[in-house]
Amino acid sequence: MKYEVVIELGRIGRTWGYDLEWESICKADIEIWKAAERLFSKKSYFHENMEIGISVDIGLITKWYEGFYERGLHKASGYLENWDGKLIFTVEFLGGDNEKKKNHHYARHFVEKFVYDIFIVMNLSLPGSCEFLNLIFGDGSYSQKDRLLLSSYNFENGYLAFLNGNSIAPKVIPIEKTFSWYESLGLSVKQKSDSNLESAIFALLHICKSNMDVTSVVWMFHALEAIYKARVGENFTNLIHRMVFLFGFDDREEKFLKRELRKIYDLRSSFVHGGYKIYHPMENEQLDSRVSEYRYQEYEACEVGFNLVVLSLQRLIEMEWVGIEPREEILGVPLKK
């Protein structure tokens, strides 16, 4: 049994427009989407004795980036108001419960999972290259208020930090390597984590589904503590040592890491354990000018936390690891004679 599921992408692309090193960045975006056309043209999921095959041609997105590049060269408008960004997915059910297979809405669940998978793989490869903030299902049952709100904005900012030479920033790794690593995890349609690595990935996606604020710090530490297998209440220094080991930082970079992580750690502690100065839900800086200053300070700290999570996952991908295993070594001290 087959179904067609349509999604409307809405506005895609980076928020920078024709700023920064836009030509080289746009070329890289085009190349990664060309690679994604090969890697994600077909995908299978397994659920309740069923195999669910999904096929889609995402070449439309590549064409948008190519058009964006050409408009930039001719100094034309970067975004097309009349862009009909619709992708058509074919979903085929093999085996399993016939009643479920009759439900078109059931087919849509797997397309949504596909969207999350391509989002995380692409942004772990080239941060900011895949934006699904405005995506909605295009079958008439969803409206703009039902946007997926899966944003690559924080990945974009992390990539900007990388371009500026920041040592705590997501870098670029080949999508083929990321795709192979991610597929080896065997997540399929899992909705609850069973491993530390799964917890880290799910926590990162939660951050991408919300506005970056102090609550995001909780998700960041969920992810970091999962990756580095830090037990509740474990010494802050142990977490630093494990990061330094994974990143291969020198003394200067370790000092910088320690200072930045301490800011995030203290922010998390004040929010969870008390002492955090809570905003009014309005957050109106015209009524209270302190809002703007403190929000900026918090966002700076959150950016570093987000980048640490992404960089940690990227390092695991590069090493072809699914985690680290901290071990305590106890050595006997010989008697002096």
Side-chain angles (χ1 to χ4, degrees), residues 28 118 168 206 237 249 286:
I118 191 172
I168 302 178
H206 272 285
T237 305
F249 278 178
Q286 292 181 328

Side-chain angles (χ1 to χ4, degrees), residues 18-214:
Y18 296 117
D19 297 325
L20 306 169
E21 303 172 24
W22 78 267
E23 287 191 52
S24 60
I25 293 170
C26 195
K27 285 180 180 178
D29 285 338
I30 292 170
E31 290 307 308
I32 198 172
W33 277 105
K34 285 181 178 178
E37 288 181 42
R38 301 190 304 270
L39 296 171
F40 286 96
S41 61
K42 294 182 182 296
K43 187 165 178 59
S44 292
Y45 295 103
F46 296 89
H47 185 241
E48 296 184 357
N49 299 320
M50 267 189 293
E51 179 181 355
I52 301 93
I54 295 179
S55 58
V56 62
D57 178 6
I58 58 176
L60 176 75
I61 300 178
T62 309
K63 287 183 175 61
W64 184 92
Y65 278 96
E66 290 173 336
F68 180 84
Y69 180 75
E70 289 299 321
R71 291 191 295 277
L73 292 178
H74 295 91
K75 308 209 182 297
S77 173
Y79 298 99
L80 297 178
E81 296 298 329
N82 61 347
W83 183 60
D84 183 22
K86 291 185 179 180
L87 291 182
I88 301 174
F89 293 78
T90 299
V91 183
E92 183 175 11
F93 294 100
L94 301 171
D97 188 333
N98 287 326
E99 288 304 311
K100 282 192 173 181
K101 289 191 290 187
K102 294 177 183 177
N103 188 343
H104 183 271
H105 187 81
Y106 184 60
R108 198 163 64 186
H109 295 327
F110 300 97
V111 172
E112 184 172 358
K113 182 59 171 60
F114 176 97
V115 166
Y116 276 93
D117 288 344
I118 191 172
F119 175 88
I120 195 69
V121 168
M122 294 197 67
N123 283 310
L124 284 176
S125 301
L126 177 58
S129 61
C130 182
E131 171 69 292
F132 290 141
L133 177 69
N134 300 298
L135 184 151
I136 60 174
F137 285 92
D139 58 2
S141 62
Y142 278 52
S143 64
Q144 281 296 327
K145 67 181 179 62
D146 298 303
R147 291 184 303 160
L148 188 63
L149 300 177
L150 187 57
S151 172
S152 66
Y153 182 72
N154 297 317
F155 283 105
E156 271 195 74
N157 284 343
Y159 189 44
L160 175 60
F162 168 77
L163 294 175
N164 288 333
N166 195 324
S167 59
I168 302 178
K171 47 191 171 180
V172 179
I173 54 181
I175 187 175
E176 290 82 6
K177 194 172 187 69
T178 307
F179 179 83
S180 176
W181 178 84
Y182 187 78
E183 287 294 297
S184 72
L185 302 181
L187 294 178
S188 190
V189 296
K190 191 177 294 185
Q191 298 293 291
K192 189 171 178 61
S193 62
D194 292 319
S195 71
N196 284 29
L197 189 54
E198 291 168 6
S199 294
I201 292 171
F202 292 176
L204 183 62
L205 288 171
H206 272 285
I207 299 170
C208 295
K209 285 278 289 182
S210 62
N211 293 324
M212 186 87 94
D213 59 21
V214 67

Side-chain angles (χ1 to χ4, degrees), residues 231 325-330:
R231 295 184 295 274
E325 190 63 54
R327 293 180 181 176
E328 182 180 16
E329 185 177 13
I330 300 176

